[in-house]
Amino acid sequence: MGKYSSSFQKPMAQKSDGPHVIWRGIGCLMMLIVPAISIAAGITTINYGLAHNWPIPYQLLVSLRLPDFFYKSSGLVIIFYPLTQIPNLFAYVIVSLLYIVLIGGVISVIYAFIYRAVGPSRYGPLDEPPPKIKTKRYTR
């Protein structure tokens, strides 16, 4: 046996292939739950606003009208016709997108606070913290 044979080497720790399976599952659920909650909240908000005479732009309160070439193709009409039957579709979509951005932002801020509180330290064992020097402000 040689001096550098594999019997003298320490076994290397295996690196993980990515985030833990639980985090993948939570991320998948969030991709399904946040849009569902946002759509439900958007529809509820618009219906509540219409019932209580909120100033909603009239351009958003129309039904979808498909271009003429959609009606020439029976396949496209079958796919997109149900969308034309939804009243106030544009208002629902706009408000739902606003809720998605709002909920996503809140979740991101909460995650940042939790990660900062319980996450790994800023510097590893081999890192050196930044130098603590005071510089004078340059004036001309």
Side-chain angles (χ1 to χ4, degrees):
M1 287 233 160
K3 183 177 177 181
Y4 300 109
S5 67
S6 64
S7 63
F8 292 107
Q9 294 178 354
K10 293 181 181 178
M12 298 295 289
Q14 293 181 351
K15 289 188 175 182
S16 65
D17 294 336
H20 196 269
V21 177
I22 292 175
W23 290 115
R24 290 184 202 159
I26 290 173
C28 181
L29 285 176
M30 295 304 285
M31 287 189 335
L32 297 173
I33 291 173
V34 169
I37 290 172
S38 300
I39 291 170
I43 292 172
T44 305
T45 302
I46 293 298
N47 290 340
Y48 183 82
L50 290 174
H52 291 85
N53 295 326
W54 286 358
I56 301 172
Y58 68 91
Q59 293 91 347
L60 298 177
L61 299 177
V62 296
S63 297
L64 178 67
R65 171 77 172 111
L66 297 176
D68 293 335
F69 68 87
F70 275 78
Y71 295 106
K72 294 177 183 174
S73 170
S74 62
L76 291 175
V77 170
I78 291 172
I79 294 172
F80 291 104
Y81 183 73
L83 292 177
T84 62
Q85 301 304 310
I86 301 173
N88 310 327
L89 178 67
F90 295 119
Y92 294 153
V93 169
I94 297 293
V95 173
S96 297
L97 288 175
L98 290 175
Y99 274 120
I100 286 176
V101 170
L102 181 71
I103 292 171
V106 168
I107 289 173
S108 296
V109 168
I110 291 171
Y111 175 77
F113 282 129
I114 293 172
Y115 186 79
R116 182 70 179 196
V118 298
S121 65
R122 186 171 190 175
Y123 300 108
L126 301 177
D127 292 332
E128 182 177 341
K132 296 179 181 177
I133 59 171
K134 293 184 179 181
T135 59
K136 289 186 174 181
R137 184 176 172 205
Y138 178 74
T139 57
R140 197 168 203 187

